Amino acid sequence: AQSVTQPDIHITVSEGASLELRCNYSYGATPYLFWYVQSPGQGLQLLLKYFSGDTLVQGIKGFEAEFKRSQSSFNLRKPSVHWSDAAEYFCAVAARGSQGNLIFGKGTKLSVKP
Amino acid sequence: EADIYQTPRYLVIGTGKKITLECSQTMGHDKMYWYQQDPGMELHLIHYSYGVNSTEKGDLSSESTVSRIRTEHFPLTLESARPSHTSQYLCASSEGGPYNEQFFGPGTRLTVL
């Protein structure tokens, strides 16, 4: 069965520091890969997605993610974190050929200190 | 403005009550979803719909039911609420296919006493 692992439950970084959030998936073939962000009291918003092609994908708000097939990973990065980036981040996968139902990781909560 | 709405945002209710959580979208999306989200846990899909008169159960078993009589509306009903139903419920919609973005509503936080 497909699964998504986000090994870091909570990360704290200083404003202006770089950020990397980890995501590993378990699936026989390369799935569609997504990162969503959830601010407190709000729904999820798509940051970026990977389907094929260039393994480094750019998203909104200055985020990027790199797909590494050999490591079954899709880590999210940002070179310089802003206080407004404090939120919960979810990695998700959808099986190719499926109807698009997403499997989510448990999320990583990001805190930003001044 | 195209959007997805959920009401109520917060609901505190006693055991045994019937409740309906509302979800509406103005984007004309065929596919709609209900997720259950507990703190520190992943979102679990409990229901989805491909279009009008189509409903399917998701990966997580739920005592709730859904209906899809209109494209834009996908309400979730609990006939008899229990404390174990306390959770956050998120509604989403998308165009068909696994590669399309899902748009999420703000969620309903349900507490059953």
Side-chain angles (χ1 to χ4, degrees):
Chain A
Q2 297 175 70
S3 66
V4 178
T5 302
Q6 293 181 248
D8 303 305
I9 297 172
H10 189 187
I11 285 181
T12 300
V13 300
S14 298
E15 191 167 17
S18 64
L19 170 70
E20 183 169 28
L21 302 182
R22 296 182 290 165
C23 173
N24 293 94
Y25 65 89
S26 173
Y27 185 61
T30 301
Y32 298 116
L33 297 157
F34 304 81
W35 274 100
Y36 283 84
V37 60
Q38 185 179 31
S39 298
Q42 298 186 26
L44 279 70
Q45 180 185 22
L46 180 69
L47 284 175
L48 45 78
K49 57 188 178 184
Y50 172 78
F51 301 144
S52 64
D54 192 345
T55 56
L56 184 64
V57 293
Q58 303 296 321
I60 62 171
K61 304 185 181 186
F63 285 92
E64 66 179 26
E66 185 172 13
F67 168 62
K68 292 185 177 180
R69 184 191 307 274
S70 61
Q71 298 176 19
S72 297
S73 69
F74 188 55
N75 294 349
L76 182 71
R77 300 196 294 247
K78 186 169 185 178
S80 178
V81 169
H82 188 261
W83 63 267
S84 60
D85 293 325
E88 190 143 22
Y89 292 79
F90 291 92
C91 182
V93 304
R96 292 179 183 268
S98 74
Q99 291 300 319
N101 293 344
L102 294 174
I103 305 293
F104 283 89
K106 292 186 177 182
T108 297
K109 183 176 181 180
L110 173 66
S111 297
V112 180
K113 58 183 180 181
Chain B
E1 178 182 331
D3 212 335
I4 180 163
Y5 306 92
Q6 289 186 245
T7 57
R9 292 291 312 276
Y10 303 91
L11 179 62
V12 181
I13 202 163
T15 297
K17 300 292 187 183
K18 177 180 179 178
I19 61 169
T20 297
L21 308 184
E22 301 288 349
C23 176
S24 295
Q25 51 98 3
T26 60
M27 296 171 279
H29 289 159
D30 286 328
K31 202 160 181 196
M32 295 189 74
Y33 315 78
W34 276 104
Y35 292 90
Q36 187 171 337
Q37 182 184 29
D38 293 314
M41 300 296 291
E42 60 269 67
L43 281 73
H44 287 289
L45 181 68
I46 51 175
H47 298 284
Y48 61 101
S49 166
Y50 295 119
V52 172
N53 295 325
S54 151
T55 61
E56 303 284 345
K57 290 190 179 296
D59 305 321
L60 181 68
S61 176
S62 173
E63 294 168 346
S64 59
T65 59
V66 293
S67 62
R68 189 90 182 274
I69 299 173
R70 304 197 313 267
T71 297
E72 63 272 20
H73 195 214
F74 191 42
L76 181 145
T77 298
L78 278 165
E79 290 293 333
S80 180
R82 294 207 298 269
S84 61
H85 297 138
T86 295
S87 188
Q88 170 148 270
Y89 294 84
L90 289 168
C91 180
S93 72
S94 72
E95 296 179 358
Y99 40 81
N100 287 311
E101 174 181 359
Q102 291 188 20
F103 293 84
F104 285 80
T108 294
R109 185 165 296 281
L110 172 66
T111 301
V112 183
L113 303 175

